[in-house]
Amino acid sequence: MTEPPVSSVLPDDAGQALLVGRLWDPVTGGPRVVALSGDSAVDLTGLAGTVSELLELPDPATAVRAALLDPAAVLQRWAAADVVAASLAGDTARPHLLAPVDLQVIKACGVTFVDSMIERVIEERCAGDAGRAAEMRERVGKALGGSIAAVRPGSAEAAEAKRVLIAEGLWSQYLEVGIGPDPEVFTKAPVLSSVGLGAGIGIPAFSSWNNPEPELVLVATSCGEVVGATLGNDVNLRDVEGRSALLLGKAKDNNASSALGPLIRLFDGDFTLDTLRGEEILLRVEGRDGYLLEGRNTLARISRPFEELAAATRGRHHQYPDGFALFTGTLFAPTQDRDEPGQGFTHKHGDVVTIRSRHLGALVNRVGAAEELPEWTFGLRQLFAYLEEQHQMEQRQVQE
């Protein structure tokens, strides 16, 4: 089988993109901070031991560019084609990409698009029963119409919409965070638990109605400054969350339920936060059964600005000394039937999920049982032990 080219996962303008992330090095038995440069994945661990540390530099983009031009700063190189091929093949015995963040807390915003907000209302009204979704979708759609799409969250118009919906018996906690003054912000996954390009994403056995959530993920420093972005899959269990919003943790945080990658694109030159305001994130789900699902997440339709979401995450009310990665929500909630009419979409094991955008590349993962995928075993203690071991090794080499 022909190995996939590096270009299959890179941004359209990869030659101008400043891409950083993490690579698992089987030789040293740990993660290395890397930047993509030409046909190589370049080891920048000499510049920063973690991606979090790298992003805390006064000007990360300038520091990375300078390191790439300094042979003394580059500890080693790997062929990018080999790394991408190993990642997509799930070959953990070879150098492969990991989720591109490490010490950052993984946060997420929900209900930031009107379409997905309405789907959350439907989940709630169905109490997690997929069989009732079609009927409820029609009922809610007739009641809400399209007028709510133009309502600015937290505005006087939103308050009036809330009053009307309560009077009609259709108010929901999802509408509260969708058009109310405060966005939903929750912790998606523990530090270091996210998986990267080519890894399996986990659906636990207790879920029978679930879907991918293709999202833009903002990457911010400890000061809350957004310095780059990547793609993410905020895997969701619709049946679990639909039973009760208090089960959000059970619906969102499971083994391999947070996927990020392929790399972080740092803001640099013409690539800024404004570039992403009109970005389109494409979703493709290919099943072993020949099933194909395609969707589009158009960020121009997000109901709250990126700055508002970041400010709701980090401020005087909460700090993140190692920075944070922020899922910004999804427009796409698949409703197309996969098997029985009226049952909608749900994942099957073996589904290949591709999330792609013009400026960020492609994140590709395969769906599996959360209970059968590799367990998360490399945590903070293991990372600190690895970094200390590498430091001591470097000290011995200097003394020799």
Side-chain angles (χ1 to χ4, degrees), residues 3-293:
E3 291 191 338
V6 177
S7 59
S8 68
V9 302
L10 295 186
D12 291 353
D13 58 344
Q16 290 73 51
L18 194 55
L19 302 168
V20 299
R22 296 164 65 234
L23 174 148
W24 181 266
D25 178 22
V27 175
T28 60
R32 313 295 291 187
V33 177
V34 297
L36 206 69
S37 179
D39 58 1
S40 298
V42 179
D43 189 350
L44 296 183
T45 305
L47 176 64
T50 64
V51 172
S52 172
E53 180 185 359
L54 175 67
L55 300 185
E56 291 296 319
L57 296 174
D59 186 344
T62 297
V64 170
R65 289 201 182 280
L68 291 175
L69 295 173
D70 180 7
V74 176
L75 299 180
Q76 55 185 324
R77 296 173 182 267
W78 297 269
D82 293 342
V83 171
V84 167
S87 302
L88 293 175
D91 186 352
T92 58
R94 296 159 59 191
H96 60 279
L97 292 175
L98 303 170
V101 300
D102 38 43
L103 299 182
Q104 294 90 343
V105 175
I106 310 301
K107 305 293 289 188
C109 292
V111 202
T112 53
F113 291 86
V114 170
D115 302 62
S116 61
M117 175 183 71
I118 293 173
E119 283 302 309
R120 297 292 86 77
V121 174
I122 291 167
E123 288 169 14
E124 182 183 46
R125 297 279 166 168
C126 292
D129 181 359
R132 298 173 53 201
E135 174 189 350
M136 190 57 63
R137 189 171 293 112
E138 181 179 2
R139 179 182 169 193
V140 172
K142 286 181 179 178
L144 294 179
S147 59
I148 201 170
V151 173
R152 174 74 173 89
S155 66
E157 291 79 9
E160 175 61 16
K162 176 178 179 177
R163 186 191 67 76
V164 171
L165 289 166
I166 289 175
E168 294 183 3
L170 285 172
W171 186 249
S172 160
Q173 57 203 335
Y174 294 104
L175 290 167
E176 175 64 47
V177 295
I179 63 174
D182 300 311
E184 178 188 21
V185 183
F186 59 93
T187 300
K188 164 64 180 178
V191 170
L192 288 177
S193 69
S194 296
V195 298
L197 176 71
I201 50 175
I203 302 295
F206 53 76
S207 174
S208 59
W209 186 22
N210 43 72
N211 63 270
E213 292 193 349
E215 301 189 21
L216 170 71
V217 180
L218 304 177
V219 183
T221 67
S222 60
C223 296
E225 179 187 3
V226 179
V227 294
T230 189
L231 296 171
N233 188 346
D234 180 15
V235 180
N236 185 46
L237 311 183
R238 300 190 70 177
D239 47 359
V240 175
E241 185 179 356
R243 284 159 48 203
S244 170
L246 296 180
L247 292 173
L248 181 65
K250 188 178 182 71
K252 290 291 188 179
D253 184 9
N254 296 285
N255 186 37
S257 64
S258 170
L260 296 168
L263 297 154
I264 296 170
R265 181 167 183 176
L266 298 179
F267 293 147
D268 180 54
D270 293 334
F271 179 69
T272 67
L273 192 59
D274 285 339
T275 308
L276 297 172
R277 298 190 198 279
E279 191 84 342
E280 289 196 332
I281 299 177
L282 308 179
L283 171 71
R284 183 180 178 90
V285 179
E286 300 170 85
R288 289 174 175 169
D289 54 0
Y291 178 84
L292 176 64
L293 173 72

Side-chain angles (χ1 to χ4, degrees), residues 297-312:
N297 188 9
T298 304
L299 289 169
R301 293 174 62 184
I302 198 167
S303 58
R304 301 180 194 263
F306 297 141
E307 292 86 349
E308 181 179 339
L309 300 179

Side-chain angles (χ1 to χ4, degrees), residues 357-388:
S357 88
R358 175 186 172 190
H359 291 100
L360 299 174
L363 173 63
V364 185
N365 301 97
R366 188 180 298 273
V367 174
E371 297 84 355
E372 298 173 6
L373 291 176
E375 293 185 352
W376 171 38
T377 58
F378 194 91
L380 289 169
R381 285 188 295 109
Q382 288 77 15
L383 175 60
F384 293 156
Y386 173 76
L387 293 174
E388 177 60 24

